[in-house]
Amino acid sequence: MEDNEKLSAERSLKIISQAIEQSRNDIMRNAGTPMIFWGLLTCATAAIVCLLWKYTGNPSWNALWFLMAVIGWCVMAAKSRKDKKKPTNFFSRVLRISWISFGLFALITAVIGTLSFDSTVYTVKLPITTVLILLLGLTGLITGLVLRHTFITTFSVVSVVPANFALMYPGPYESLAICLTSLFILVIPGIIINRQYKK
């Protein structure tokens, strides 16, 4: 009787472990393409902002980041409507909530950061780029840990380097720090994931 219960408990644990691993694999199969899309869109926007800011001397070109966010969300919304409904699980919900939270706090950071340039109201300017890179690094770290993806986890932690660069060299080149972060947290891992989980 005890042996049967022990076998039953071991079998249950094995089934749970397999279900968790299957859920993680399902997410990985669908994670690569959105990561590449957002990463490339971010890199392209960063390069455009950097060039326009550098050659015009006008930081107002940073408004293109808001346009990028709108374009990105519209494309992803259209894609999710086209795709057949994918089953959700705990891991996919955690990742979805993490990235939606990142988007929300990135928007809040951009708005507050822009307002903080008014020296009549604020005594300190919020370093928008640095905060955004750290938020991206944090969300990337959560993604890497949930997916057990060493590359994403490692480079998410290393994102403190471009965040520091953005503080040391404010101006047009801040955008390149975001580009570099997106390349290593989104684009390269997305390509690796797509290669590992080719359909």
Side-chain angles (χ1 to χ4, degrees), residues 27 30-31 34-35 38 73 76-77 80-81 85-105 139-140 142-144 146-147:
I27 295 167
N30 300 310
M35 290 173 74
W38 279 107
W73 282 108
M76 292 309 290
S80 66
R81 267 191 236 112
K85 182 73 176 165
K86 294 182 180 84
T88 60
N89 55 52
F90 173 74
F91 295 112
S92 63
R93 282 192 298 273
V94 167
L95 292 180
R96 188 166 184 263
I97 290 167
S98 297
W99 284 102
I100 288 172
S101 300
F102 164 76
L104 178 63
F105 275 89
T139 313
I142 292 167
T143 302
V146 168
L147 297 179

Side-chain angles (χ1 to χ4, degrees), residues 73-142:
W73 282 108
C74 288
V75 170
M76 292 309 290
K79 186 182 181 312
S80 66
R81 267 191 236 112
K82 264 188 188 178
D83 292 347
K84 53 187 176 184
K85 182 73 176 165
K86 294 182 180 84
T88 60
N89 55 52
F90 173 74
F91 295 112
S92 63
R93 282 192 298 273
V94 167
L95 292 180
R96 188 166 184 263
I97 290 167
S98 297
W99 284 102
I100 288 172
S101 300
F102 164 76
L104 178 63
F105 275 89
L107 178 62
I108 291 168
T109 300
V111 170
I112 293 174
T114 303
L115 293 174
S116 74
F117 278 79
D118 181 359
S119 58
T120 60
V121 179
Y122 297 90
T123 55
V124 177
K125 292 177 186 173
L126 180 69
I128 302 171
T129 304
T130 299
V131 175
L132 291 177
I133 290 172
L134 293 174
L135 285 172
L136 181 59
L138 175 62
T139 313
L141 180 64
I142 292 167

Side-chain angles (χ1 to χ4, degrees), residues 163-176:
N164 191 49
F165 174 87
L167 272 179
M168 291 169 66
Y169 303 100
Y173 296 112
E174 291 177 31
S175 298
L176 296 183

Side-chain angles (χ1 to χ4, degrees), residues 164-194:
N164 191 49
F165 174 87
L167 272 179
M168 291 169 66
Y169 303 100
Y173 296 112
E174 291 177 31
S175 298
L176 296 183
I178 291 181
C179 180
L180 192 65
T181 306
S182 297
L183 188 68
F184 282 99
I185 293 179
L186 296 171
V187 179
I188 296 172
I191 292 168
I192 292 169
I193 288 169
N194 276 355

Side-chain angles (χ1 to χ4, degrees), residues 58-73:
N58 187 354
S60 298
W61 290 107
N62 280 294
L64 289 174
W65 290 109
F66 292 103
L67 179 63
M68 180 213 80
V70 171
I71 291 169
W73 282 108

